[in-house]
Amino acid sequence: MSDNAYDVIVVGLGGMGSAAAYHLARRGVRVLGLEKFGPAHDRGSSHGGSRIIRQSYFEDPAYVPLLLRAYELWAELTRDTGIEVHRLTGGLFIGPPESLTVAGSLRAAQEWSLPHEMLDAGEIRRRFPTLAPAPGDVALYEAKAGFARPEATVRAHLDLAAREGATLHFDEEVLDWADGPRGVTVTTARGTYTAGQLVVCPGAWAPSLLSTLGIPITIERQVLYWLEAEGGVAPFEDHPIYIYENEFDEQIYGFPAIDGPAGGVKTAFFRKGRVCTPDTIDRTVYPAEIDEMRDRVTRLVPALNGPAVHTATCMYSNTPDEHFVITRPVDFDNVTVACGFSGHGFKFVPVVGEVLADLATDGSTTHPIGLFDPRRLVTT
């Protein structure tokens, strides 16, 4: 076998690709992973210190079986590495009773018999005194919600993949790929590689790397904020994650303070970005953006009225219906694709890695992924 020939090539080693490389390697598959940047980089979507994990899924109850398996794999990843890649803090999904954040979460919890509590505004204030919901607001409380650490997760999967024998190349951009009757060919700035199968996890680079597939994906710039808390971060150190749907129909989310006394408290808008590309994204965060974030979040969390001690940008890769794309594309016999995670994908990283390993080695998976077929997005 040529030194440049593999069983499976994984393109993109962010959240999904790193997990795919690990799950493939642990099955004894000869894997090559290719990444444009360094390991656990901050140029795409798998960075920022924390990502919410939750099971009462307002986007669609169809996600819940995948989440239940993802939680098993999160625990396994922590056990196998000794690294706290996730933490269960409890979570509050707050807003008017009829809001998507509340009603959608309740629908998923009831359909899948997930443990949860419903709290009125007074009970929210009593149990969580950092929060000041409006009188008509309610919350679904989920004890099993919490957060994952994206950089630590990517590094953990990469380390485990390498331990299982995967070959990982960083700072090596993929220029082209092709499928053929004998397998796939991938061309980079350094050389050409062949394999029986290809797994493409391109993140925000999907529009260029997957242009031949016609999958409609829009890239959006998003901003993350770490605000200084009045009185210090101590009240936020043991704090639930939250998603809050306000009177402007905006969703705001936040985390406990996990970055030390000077690290501030992280918060952000969910889906309040502007269209960009990986090449045109503006990574400067402007004072007006910080002022707007502070104005909105202090309506629920009054103490977050201090300056921003840190900001960062990342990118969402949005499909038109905001559901994922996970598929073996029609007319491509040896290719598996995972993209369009639309700002809510990271909690699924471990199970998506397992799904992609199934698809690349067996051509199918027992996991329920029908919702993610890109043919749903084709208009006739």
Side-chain angles (χ1 to χ4, degrees):
M1 179 180 289
S2 166
D3 289 341
N4 278 8
Y6 296 85
D7 297 324
V8 182
I9 297 173
V10 178
V11 172
L13 295 175
M16 305 306 175
S18 63
Y22 165 55
H23 281 280
L24 285 161
R26 74 185 294 192
R27 300 181 188 192
V29 174
R30 190 178 187 210
V31 178
L32 171 65
L34 298 170
E35 169 57 51
K36 179 177 181 178
F37 301 105
H41 62 82
D42 64 355
R43 311 310 292 168
S45 304
S46 298
H47 62 279
S50 55
R51 290 289 186 276
I52 286 175
I53 58 175
R54 52 193 166 93
Q55 295 182 351
S56 301
Y57 218 61
F58 58 74
E59 286 84 349
D60 195 310
Y63 285 87
V64 173
L66 289 171
L67 286 163
L68 297 177
R69 177 57 179 160
Y71 266 57
E72 294 175 349
L73 292 170
W74 281 115
E76 181 181 292
L77 187 60
T78 294
R79 185 188 68 238
D80 290 349
T81 62
I83 299 169
E84 187 195 56
V85 293
H86 79 306
R87 183 191 304 175
L88 302 185
T89 62
L92 290 158
F93 311 115
I94 308 169
E98 69 279 5
S99 65
L100 173 65
T101 303
V102 175
S105 299
L106 180 60
R107 175 189 170 203
Q110 291 176 332
E111 184 168 324
W112 291 97
S113 300
L114 302 174
H116 66 281
E117 301 175 66
M118 294 303 301
L119 311 178
D120 63 20
E123 187 67 4
I124 297 169
R125 294 190 201 97
R126 186 187 70 80
R127 289 176 56 175
F128 307 100
T130 57
L131 305 181
D137 284 342
V138 299
L140 183 144
Y141 176 74
E142 178 189 320
K144 289 187 175 181
F147 66 88
R149 299 180 184 271
E151 293 93 340
T153 299
V154 172
R155 290 190 190 98
H157 277 134
L158 292 175
D159 289 346
L160 289 175
R163 187 186 306 173
E164 295 289 346
T167 300
L168 306 177
H169 290 188
F170 297 99
D171 300 307
E172 184 168 356
E173 181 179 4
V174 170
L175 303 177
D176 196 13
W177 60 269
D179 188 19
R182 296 185 180 180
V184 298
T185 302
V186 177
T187 303
T188 76
R190 297 184 196 172
T192 299
Y193 307 92
T194 61
Q197 294 287 323
L198 174 66
V199 175
V200 187
C201 303
W205 287 262
S208 56
L209 276 176
L210 301 177
S211 59
T212 58
L213 302 186
I215 300 171
I217 292 179
T218 301
I219 309 305
E220 286 187 352
R221 168 188 179 270
Q222 304 290 333
V223 182
L224 312 174
Y225 306 83
W226 286 257
L227 300 178
E228 188 174 297
E230 182 180 10
V233 300
F236 296 93
E237 290 176 350
D238 185 19
H239 197 277
I241 61 92
Y242 60 86
I243 301 175
Y244 170 52
E245 190 165 335
N246 64 19
E247 65 267 35
F248 304 101
D249 295 322
E250 300 163 332
Q251 288 176 306
I252 293 167
Y253 63 94
F255 297 86
I258 62 173
D259 298 307
V265 181
K266 183 183 172 184
T267 186
F269 290 107
F270 185 41
R271 305 194 188 288
K272 191 177 179 71
R274 57 177 182 261
V275 174
C276 68
T277 72
D279 294 325
T280 64
I281 181 174
D282 185 351
R283 295 193 182 274
T284 300
V285 178
Y286 297 93
E289 294 178 296
I290 297 170
D291 290 344
E292 182 184 32
M293 184 76 259
R294 186 187 300 107
D295 172 73
R296 294 296 199 263
V297 74
T298 52
R299 296 166 190 248
L300 176 69
V301 194
L304 297 187
N305 63 354
V309 299
H310 178 56
T311 59
T313 57
C314 70
M315 290 178 282
Y316 284 4
S317 305
N318 297 321
T319 63
D321 62 5
E322 298 172 355
H323 295 307
F324 309 158
V325 170
I326 303 175
T327 187
R328 300 269 294 175
V330 175
D331 299 328
F332 290 82
D333 294 335
N334 306 301
V335 179
T336 300
V337 168
C339 61
F341 287 94
S342 301
H344 62 110
F346 199 87
K347 61 186 69 63
F348 296 89
V349 156
V351 70
V352 169
E354 189 171 67
V355 167
L356 296 177
D358 289 345
L359 295 175
T361 57
D362 302 329
S364 63
T365 182
T366 59
H367 289 296
I369 62 169
L371 180 61
F372 311 137
D373 190 327
R375 287 175 293 185
R376 74 186 191 275
L377 303 172
V378 176
T379 57
T380 57

